[in-house]
Every structure is written in structure tokens, then in C-alpha cells.
Amino acid sequence: MAAKRSGAESKGSGRGGASGQEPRSEPPLSLERIVATAVDLLDAEGVDGLKMRRLADRLGAGAMSLYWHVGNKEEVFDLALDSVLEYRGPSDIVESRDWRGNVVHMLEDWRASMLRHPWSASLLPRRALGPNILIRLELLSKALSRAGVTDADLNVAIWSLWNFVIGATITRANFDLSDDDRAAAQQRLTGLSQHYPTIERSRLLLDNDWDGAFRKGLDFLLDGLAPRQ
Amino acid sequence: MAAKRSGAESKGSGRGGASGQEPRSEPPLSLERIVATAVDLLDAEGVDGLKMRRLADRLGAGAMSLYWHVGNKEEVFDLALDSVLEYRGPSDIVESRDWRGNVVHMLEDWRASMLRHPWSASLLPRRALGPNILIRLELLSKALSRAGVTDADLNVAIWSLWNFVIGATITRANFDLSDDDRAAAQQRLTGLSQHYPTIERSRLLLDNDWDGAFRKGLDFLLDGLAPRQ
DNA sequence: ACCTGAACACCGTTCAAGT
DNA sequence: ACCTGAACACCGTTCAAGT
């Protein structure tokens, strides 16, 4: 992932090194490098931190060079997003047994991949579906069929799981930023406990076990979709 | 919702009326007017269409007057969002019977409210929870308790429903924009049917019954959360 | 074919003034 | 107390050139 940063000599006159750590003798610009660097930048600075100028800077390229390789900023987002959703499944899907294990594994991996890049979940629903998510949906479809979900219910089941994963991951990725805020919210809730007695008592806003809640909620949903007989 | 637009005389020298329909003798600026107008503008132009200058323009106010009433643009988003999530429940919650009907009604109303303002769903997960969503969560909590969900599972159940609603609504609101794109995607899928045979056969990307899928998926999830015995 | 800086058309926000 | 325009510090993108 990280660039190799070979020690080398500078190109010509200095560029007024404000950043101080600009690598020298860069490999030429390429889509691959641009996408990889965009992911790094997004990880470091979030969605709002991705600016075309800054990206070019990180690449050691002139400010506007990117526009030769990419149509516009949107395209950078699309490419960065898909590059982050790759799935290296558990060996082969031929393993017919334990459809449920396969599904849970893939969905937990999906969520984990997006949480490693907290900008990605929010982006996913508003962009065209790239090949890497299609692979995941296909796996889902196969497994659910095998589990006995009827053809008439198949699409509903897939979208239900999609909704659950997207909703959980977007929520988690965004709440993550505001740990103190959450305490403050629960505090406020306590002050208003006459209005919200039930969620105040269960300490809904303080509940911190995101991974457990995802896993248990997913189990409930799968129970509903394909009841174990 | 819509302003009354009383016919009246202009204030002084013309402002070079580019928009052509600027109302005259506006009521004074107020938080309420700002929020209501922000919602209108968001509905009309989307998240990216809300610019402080444009909002001021719609209010018939000078470009920078808003900053007296609001700290910054973020605050406008927060206020607009909460104003859109109000719930006027079915009479009273005392109706103990039919917890499931109550839940389904509230969640469908929640989704419908957000789809009426397609920018709202994406905003919700990244902002502090306002009073209007807390009311909905409280209702959810009460109903699920009544349905027999144990205290240990209560938070999981609430977040599962949250995830489902958020995921479904964000997805629907965004896919809505691209009806042709979806056909194109399915087309592309058909071309690659050796890679994605199952979702190609079920025509996953063409499935257009969003309301039905939401309702049926919600039923599955509720079955998992509180099995009907 | 690939890269570049200058320039344009925006934005959010600050600030010193106005009434 | 409330409103205002000018000004600042950005940003995405176009374009005419460079090599």
C-alpha cells in the first residue's frame, strides 16, 4: 500500500518545499497510483479532505496533471471506492455446507473493509455498483438460494441484508468520530428522562458494543429470512 | 410550507433582479423562516444545492445576514434535518395491542418522511440525534419490550431496525436518481452473466418494488427479532 | 502522449461598518 | 439588535501552452 520512497536526487530547481517530505524521482502518473494515493488521502483526511490539488501534491505531480488520467473528481471517488471492496472469499464457494457461515463471514468482512476506510460506506449507496460489490451480491444470492429462500423472496432477502450492512456501517463510521458527543447525548437524555424513559434506562446511546450488535442483529435477520427448522 | 407572497411595493433601488420573482416586503429574518426555506431549497436542489448565498437570496435577505442567526452552514443542516423527522403517531401509544402494527406504521412513516426529502436520510447518521428521532426510538423501545424482547436484546433490536430503515432509505433515495443507470447496469450484468449468473437471473438490479421490498424485509426482520409464537 | 501554470467562476466565512 | 457589502482564502475545472 505505502509507496516505496526510494532515496534519490531532486529533479531541478526546488518547488519551495512547504510539505518537507516530498519524495523525489516519482514513478510516472498512472491510474493505479492515483487511486491508491486517493485512498490513502481519504483515509487520512476524510471525504472533505480529498482535494484535487492536494492529491496531485501527494503524487509529486503538477497541480492539474490528474485531469489527463481522470475525467473529474467524481471518477476518483468511484475508483477509490471499488478498490476498497474487494473480497477474497474463504477458499472456494463450492463448500455447500454452512451457507450461514459463508454469509456471515462475507458480510462481516464487508463491514470491516468499509470501516477500515470510514469514508467508503457513505459513498457506496450513491454510486454505480462496481464489480467488487456485484461479486458479493452474487455470493449472497447463491447462499440464500441454497438456504431455501424462494425465488420470489430472493431479491427482498438480498436487499434486506444490504440495508442492514449499509445502515450499520454508515452509522458506526460516523458515530465513531464523536465518542464524547455520545456521552453528552446520553447525559441530555437523562435530563429529559420523563420524555424518553425506556431508551434512557437501556442506555441506548452509551451502548458501545458495535461488533456484537452487528453480529447479533445479523443473526436475528437471518433467522427471519431463513428460519432454522 | 410555501410562502404567501403578498403583492407589495419594492423597498428602494432595484437589486438588478436576475431571479425575477423576488417577493417584496419580506417578514423579518428568523430561525423558523431560515429553516423552512432551507428545507425547500434542499428539496429543490439537493445537498449540494444549499449555498448560503442562495439561501439568503430566497429569503430576500442580504447575502451575509444569515450569520447573525446561525453559526454556520452545518447548523442549517442540523435544523433542517430535525424539522423533517417529526412524528405524529397514531393517536396515543396507550393502545397496547398490536405492537407490531405500531412499529410498522412508525417505521414506514419514518421512511416516507425521509423520502419526501431525499437529502435527509444521508444526513441523519452523521449528526447528533435530535428530539424527533429520539421520540421514534422511544416508541420503538416500548413496543419491542411489550413484544417480549428481553432487556439484554433490546438495544440490538432497536439498532437493527435503525440500520434497516437507514440503509433502505439512503439506498432508495440515491438509486431513485438513476433509473436509466439501473437498466444500463442490468444490461452490463447480462453481458457478464457468466460471472454473476444468480443475480442476473433474479433481475436484482431491475427490481423496482421498493415499497414492497421494504415492507416484506421489515416483516422478515421483525420475525427474527420477536418470533410470533 | 503527457504534463503544466495561469486564470475563471465559484464558495464559506470574517470583518468593519452601517441603521 | 440586526443587517450589509467588500474582501479573504479557498476549490474544481478549463485552456492554451509546453515537452
Side-chain angles (χ1 to χ4, degrees), chain B residues 189-210:
Chain B
L189 214 60
T190 306
L192 298 151
S193 57
Q194 70 272 32
H195 290 120
Y196 317 110
T198 319
I199 57 176
E200 199 277 328
R201 199 180 57 236
S202 69
R203 315 198 78 69
L204 178 66
L205 302 186
L206 281 181
D207 201 324
N208 222 352
D209 182 18
W210 297 90

Side-chain angles (χ1 to χ4, degrees), chain A:
Chain A
M1 282 272 174
K4 252 194 269 177
R5 203 174 323 156
S6 52
E9 58 289 305
S10 73
K11 252 173 164 171
S13 56
R15 286 177 45 241
S19 76
Q21 63 161 34
E22 37 183 348
R24 296 95 192 280
S25 71
E26 299 279 359
L29 238 36
S30 70
L31 248 196
E32 275 173 22
R33 277 193 72 224
I34 291 175
V35 172
T37 307
V39 169
D40 286 350
L41 185 52
L42 283 163
D43 289 351
E45 314 273 358
V47 191
D48 294 335
L50 180 64
K51 335 253 175 164
M52 295 302 270
R53 287 177 228 256
R54 192 120 66 124
L55 180 53
D57 227 55
R58 277 213 178 199
L59 287 158
M64 299 296 100
S65 313
L66 303 181
Y67 285 93
W68 177 260
H69 302 268
V70 197
N72 51 30
K73 194 179 172 180
E74 299 274 285
E75 203 178 317
V76 178
F77 277 126
D78 281 337
L79 294 168
L81 178 59
D82 196 65
S83 85
V84 139
L85 294 172
E86 198 186 346
Y87 183 53
R88 300 171 196 78
S91 60
D92 225 340
I93 323 175
V94 190
E95 324 284 334
S96 285
R97 299 162 296 146
D98 194 17
W99 67 270
R100 193 158 167 145
N102 280 346
V103 165
V104 169
H105 181 277
M106 190 276 280
L107 294 179
E108 288 199 311
D109 171 272
W110 185 4
R111 172 174 174 269
S113 296
M114 292 195 289
L115 287 181
R116 247 176 274 127
H117 309 279
W119 45 272
S120 61
S122 305
L123 242 44
L124 182 49
R126 61 182 115 174
R127 317 228 134 257
L129 302 180
N132 282 328
I133 334 123
L134 290 178
I135 287 176
R136 291 178 188 263
L137 296 180
E138 173 72 15
L139 185 154
L140 219 48
S141 188
K142 280 211 185 77
L144 292 169
S145 266
R146 194 180 307 141
V149 175
T150 69
D151 277 7
D153 286 340
L154 195 52
N155 287 348
V156 168
I158 295 175
W159 284 126
S160 295
L161 290 165
W162 163 285
N163 290 340
F164 185 82
V165 173
I166 296 290
T169 310
I170 290 181
T171 301
R172 204 266 133 94
N174 286 292
F175 270 55
D176 197 27
L177 304 172
S178 52
D179 243 358
D180 301 342
D181 296 352
R182 216 166 60 247
Q186 177 73 37
Q187 197 65 29
R188 191 163 48 89
L189 213 60
T190 306
L192 298 152
S193 57
Q194 69 271 34
H195 290 118
Y196 318 110
T198 319
I199 57 176
E200 199 276 328
R201 200 181 56 237
S202 70
R203 316 197 79 66
L204 179 66
L205 302 186
L206 282 181
D207 201 324
N208 223 351
D209 182 18
W210 297 91
D211 296 349
F214 179 81
R215 180 55 203 264
K216 283 170 77 176
L218 181 54
D219 270 337
F220 284 133
L221 179 53
L222 289 172
D223 286 345
L225 291 176
R228 353 191 184 202
Q229 37 257 115

Side-chain angles (χ1 to χ4, degrees), chain B residues 26-90:
Chain B
E26 298 278 359
L29 238 36
S30 71
L31 247 197
E32 275 172 23
R33 278 193 70 225
I34 291 175
V35 173
T37 308
V39 170
D40 287 349
L41 185 53
L42 283 163
D43 288 351
E45 314 274 357
V47 192
D48 294 336
L50 179 63
K51 335 252 175 165
M52 294 303 269
R53 288 176 227 255
R54 191 120 66 124
L55 179 54
D57 226 56
R58 277 211 178 200
L59 287 158
M64 300 295 99
S65 313
L66 303 180
Y67 284 93
W68 177 260
H69 303 267
V70 198
N72 51 32
K73 194 179 171 181
E74 300 273 286
E75 203 177 318
V76 178
F77 277 126
D78 280 338
L79 295 167
L81 178 60
D82 196 64
S83 85
V84 140
L85 293 172
E86 199 185 347
Y87 183 52
R88 302 170 196 78

